[in-house]
Amino acid sequence: MKPIIILVNPQLGENIGMTARAMGNCGLDHLRLVAPRDGWPNQDAIDAAAGADWIINKAQVFETTSDAIADLQQVYATTARSRFMVKPVITPQEMVVQLNTGLKTGILFGCEKSGLSNEDVTLADAILNIPVNSEFSSLNLAQAVLLVAHQWFLSQGIESSKTEINPASKEDLLHLFNHLETELEQVGYFFPPHKKPEMIQNFRNALVRAGLTQQEVRTFRGIIKALSK
Amino acid sequence: MKPIIILVNPQLGENIGMTARAMGNCGLDHLRLVAPRDGWPNQDAIDAAAGADWIINKAQVFETTSDAIADLQQVYATTARSRFMVKPVITPQEMVVQLNTGLKTGILFGCEKSGLSNEDVTLADAILNIPVNSEFSSLNLAQAVLLVAHQWFLSQGIESSKTEINPASKEDLLHLFNHLETELEQVGYFFPPHKKPEMIQNFRNALVRAGLTQQEVRTFRGIIKALSK
């Protein structure tokens, strides 16, 4: 299945347009934007798309990363920096093999200035690391998308087995997280308070890594409900 | 040996800068420019290079493509369009294997609007064709450079045998062409006159394809001299 390209807080319309052009060059169609800085639609984006209008016109805009990935089953977070998270780190070449398994997939790209937040990376099943010169590793946003999209393009026609696991949607998973975190809050689990984000990050990472099915998500919610009575 | 990136008649300084940035991301250093439209140096290029100043600062400017490739032994012409030339057509993945053979190599990229002229393509040993979506194949200049440079980056560390053939420099080859064409002109070979460019293209392509060594170039020049007495 074609992956969806998700730009989180993109700053320059020009980079959004260049992203659309690169996607068109590589046969990808679905672009999602999380809170683009300069609003949407954006004339700079249209100009820079150089004819990839069908991508720009049907780009979807979301307020949060969670909203943008709610209907997806598999999410990758593109990042150059090590995040010290217990999460697989793979290259685009390794990723495209997994994309041919038929799951609804999105690839997250952070904003030009600072990339993805740790919170966004935590939501992803794997970290996507594009190999580049370690002494000059800052890729332009659209260039990063191009390298990933082109790898996908090159992988087409290569046979791949369907996965046997059918993970839950990210929306179901996020409901599980919210449920768990609400209950933990109530029992005073998050202590000291300033450690809360890190604590959340740790167990979210573990649960994402589990690749829970819809049934398993229901099971866990039952467990939480039972325990918190 | 690291290939030299050669932009022929680039129009936008921004694209030159983005090219330098992409080169830096992939560990390439040597940029040559053939008659950049807006002159050189160019502030837009410096801005878009986003820190790849060492590439911009030592970029070399030439008046003609022939000048820019004179000291090279191996030249590739990047083009999306079929040129109907008897010349190998290869992908970046195939090219990088040849780059590890130790020859001094340049890769030509044409201007944003129209790409490389047939005359420039004729000078190349092979046509470099970047596989993209055939229904939307126009790559941004810097994006095209990135895809080629990144393939080079990925190929580093892969062992390759040194070539046994040591081709002449392009300068020697161009002298051979000029010698031959001058002699042919004098004997009225180019008839009808409007066919001259096509006639030149045909035998230049054949001679480039031969990968002549310096000694062979001397041999051919001796032959031309002998025949034209």
Side-chain angles (χ1 to χ4, degrees), chain A:
Chain A
M1 203 178 278
K2 290 188 182 186
I4 295 167
I5 301 296
I6 306 168
L7 305 185
V8 181
N9 306 133
Q11 298 176 309
L12 296 172
E14 195 183 358
N15 282 333
I16 302 173
M18 292 287 293
T19 292
R21 181 176 180 178
M23 289 171 61
N25 291 148
C26 300
L28 295 182
D29 310 304
H30 297 288
L31 177 63
R32 291 181 177 181
L33 306 171
V34 177
R37 186 190 65 183
D38 297 340
W40 195 257
N42 179 318
Q43 188 60 44
D44 287 346
I46 294 165
D47 293 345
D53 297 340
W54 75 98
I55 297 172
I56 293 289
N57 291 340
K58 69 175 181 181
Q60 298 169 285
V61 180
F62 297 85
E63 277 185 34
T64 68
T65 305
S66 298
D67 292 342
I69 65 168
D71 61 332
L72 305 180
Q73 294 177 289
Q74 186 170 237
V75 172
Y76 297 89
T78 313
T79 167
R81 291 180 288 132
S82 165
R83 303 297 184 128
F84 306 106
M85 293 191 197
V86 189
K87 213 180 263 300
V89 178
I90 62 174
T91 66
Q93 266 179 306
E94 292 163 335
M95 181 193 68
V96 293
V97 177
Q98 300 176 6
L99 291 186
N100 290 338
T101 50
L103 299 180
K104 194 163 182 190
T105 300
I107 308 172
L108 299 171
F109 294 84
C111 84
E112 290 90 334
K113 205 168 183 178
S114 51
L116 290 167
S117 68
N118 279 342
E119 199 186 340
D120 286 342
V121 174
T122 297
L123 295 172
D125 297 283
I127 288 175
L128 184 64
N129 187 260
I130 304 171
V132 288
N133 176 10
S134 56
E135 286 167 27
F136 189 71
S137 63
S138 165
L139 281 164
N140 164 271
L141 175 55
Q143 303 266 44
V145 172
L146 174 69
L147 289 177
V148 173
H150 195 248
Q151 202 60 54
W152 178 82
F153 181 79
L154 293 178
S155 76
Q156 293 315 291
I158 297 171
E159 284 293 320
S160 177
S161 57
K162 292 261 171 195
T163 182
E164 283 166 34
I165 301 169
N166 194 23
S169 72
K170 296 300 178 188
E171 186 171 33
D172 289 345
L173 201 63
L174 285 163
H175 285 153
L176 169 63
F177 291 160
N178 288 336
H179 185 179
L180 177 60
E181 288 152 23
T182 304
E183 295 298 341
L184 290 175
E185 187 73 76
Q186 288 188 354
V187 298
Y189 170 84
F190 295 117
F191 188 84
H194 73 271
K195 290 264 186 187
K196 181 178 169 183
E198 196 183 328
M199 294 164 91
I200 287 180
Q201 185 177 299
N202 287 341
F203 64 68
R204 279 192 176 200
N205 270 331
L207 286 169
V208 167
R209 208 168 57 244
L212 303 176
T213 64
Q214 206 175 15
Q215 179 55 48
E216 288 165 342
V217 168
R218 277 199 294 268
T219 302
F220 272 95
R221 295 198 62 173
I223 290 172
I224 296 164
K225 204 171 170 187
L227 290 178
S228 53
K229 259 188 185 154

Side-chain angles (χ1 to χ4, degrees), chain B residues 14-110:
Chain B
E14 195 184 357
N15 281 333
I16 301 173
M18 291 288 293
T19 292
R21 180 177 182 178
M23 289 171 62
N25 290 148
C26 300
L28 295 182
D29 310 305
H30 298 288
L31 177 62
R32 291 182 177 180
L33 306 171
V34 178
R37 186 191 64 183
D38 298 339
W40 195 255
N42 179 318
Q43 190 59 44
D44 287 346
I46 295 166
D47 294 344
D53 297 341
W54 75 98
I55 297 172
I56 293 290
N57 291 340
K58 68 175 184 184
Q60 297 170 285
V61 179
F62 297 85
E63 277 185 34
T64 67
T65 305
S66 298
D67 293 342
I69 66 168
D71 62 333
L72 306 180
Q73 294 177 289
Q74 186 170 241
V75 172
Y76 297 89
T78 313
T79 167
R81 290 179 289 131
S82 166
R83 302 298 182 127
F84 306 107
M85 293 191 195
V86 188
K87 212 179 265 298
V89 178
I90 63 174
T91 67
Q93 267 179 303
E94 292 164 336
M95 181 193 68
V96 292
V97 178
Q98 300 177 5
L99 291 186
N100 290 338
T101 51
L103 299 179
K104 195 163 182 190
T105 300
I107 307 172
L108 299 172
F109 293 84

